[in-house]
């Protein structure tokens, strides 16, 4: 079965998709191949075959394999940062914010697409363009949480960034460990455990206007 779905062809003729739809189709096929094989083992032939298109069609949209990979990274890096931003904006209850941010990471690694492997387990981490995008994820998520900590507690930016990096690191590492371990703990329970651990630490910093 290809990522072209129910219709790369109609009555023996290739279906002409709008450019945006074709790009989406090609990215979906590339994601399946990259997740399954890694960047180095994947070939443009594999991606074209998975998408149900010819290589010239693939090259019309993406000049090379790296272009495809970076386009996918941009999509998924932006997605996880947006999830953490949404978690911070979803409520004014800081305990719920911590829970929502932890849940964002668990949802990301548990998605059936396994797109998290492109971000957190890339075999191209030493490539400057890939490394820059992966670092942008960490920095973007830390920044979203940092701003909330500063707003609510009044601690310095340096202190807030350190606290935020701890929360991000705990959520990311725990989510990947949970998945790699075969989901032995139910997802909701795993999220609650990590959120409780993080909240016990961050809750010790009083809100502005409160005494320590």
């Amino acid at each position: 079965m290809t990522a072209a779905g129910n219709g790369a062809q109609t009555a023996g003729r290739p279906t002409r998709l709008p450019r945006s739809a074709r790009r989406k189709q090609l990215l979906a096929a590339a994601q399946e191949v990259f997740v399954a094989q890694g960047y180095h083992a994947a070939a443009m032939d594999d991606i074209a075959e998975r998408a149900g298109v010819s290589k010239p069609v693939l090259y019309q949209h993406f000049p090379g394999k790296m272009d495809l990979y970076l386009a996918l990274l941009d999509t998924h890096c932006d997605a996880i940062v947006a999830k953490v931003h949404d978690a911070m904006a979803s409520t004014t209850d800081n305990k719920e914010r911590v829970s929502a941010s932890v849940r964002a990471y668990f949802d990301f690694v548990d998605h059936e697409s396994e797109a998290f492997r492109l971000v957190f387990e890339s075999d191209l981490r030493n490539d400057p363009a890939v490394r820059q995008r992966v670092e942008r994820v960490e920095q973007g998520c830390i920044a979203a949480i940092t701003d909330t900590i500063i707003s609510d507690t009044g601690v310095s930016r340096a202190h807030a960034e350190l606290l935020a990096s701890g929360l991000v690191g705990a959520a990311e590492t725990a989510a990947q460990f949970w998945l790699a371990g075969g989901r032995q703990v139910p997802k909701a329970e795993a999220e609650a455990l990590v959120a409780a651990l993080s909240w016990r630490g961050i809750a010790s910093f009083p809100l502005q206007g409160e005494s320590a």
Side-chain angles (χ1 to χ4, degrees), residues 77-136:
C77 288
D78 290 346
I80 184 60
V81 173
K83 283 178 179 290
V84 174
H85 272 281
D86 290 346
M88 293 296 102
S90 64
T91 177
T92 57
D93 185 315
N94 286 326
K95 186 175 182 179
E96 288 301 315
R97 281 172 168 161
V98 170
S99 295
S101 62
V102 169
R103 189 180 311 118
Y105 278 92
F106 274 80
D107 285 347
F108 186 58
V109 304
D110 194 40
H111 194 276
E112 63 182 8
S113 70
E114 297 189 88
F116 82 94
R117 299 191 187 282
L118 302 178
V119 180
F120 297 141
E121 298 181 359
S122 173
D123 55 351
L124 276 179
R125 293 292 287 267
N126 290 329
D127 180 90
V130 173
R131 185 171 63 248
Q132 183 270 331
R133 285 162 170 80
V134 173
E135 289 174 352
R136 190 181 74 210

Side-chain angles (χ1 to χ4, degrees), residues 12 51 71 117-118 121 173 176 183 191 209:
R117 299 191 187 282
L118 302 178
E121 298 181 359
T173 301
Q176 291 185 76
R183 302 180 177 88
E191 292 170 356

Side-chain angles (χ1 to χ4, degrees), residues 56-80:
V57 169
L58 179 57
Y59 280 114
Q60 284 174 12
H61 294 264
F62 298 97
K65 188 168 68 168
M66 180 60 81
D67 299 282
L68 266 168
Y69 196 84
L70 293 179
L72 283 169
L73 263 187
D74 284 336
T75 296
H76 295 300
C77 288
D78 290 346
I80 184 60

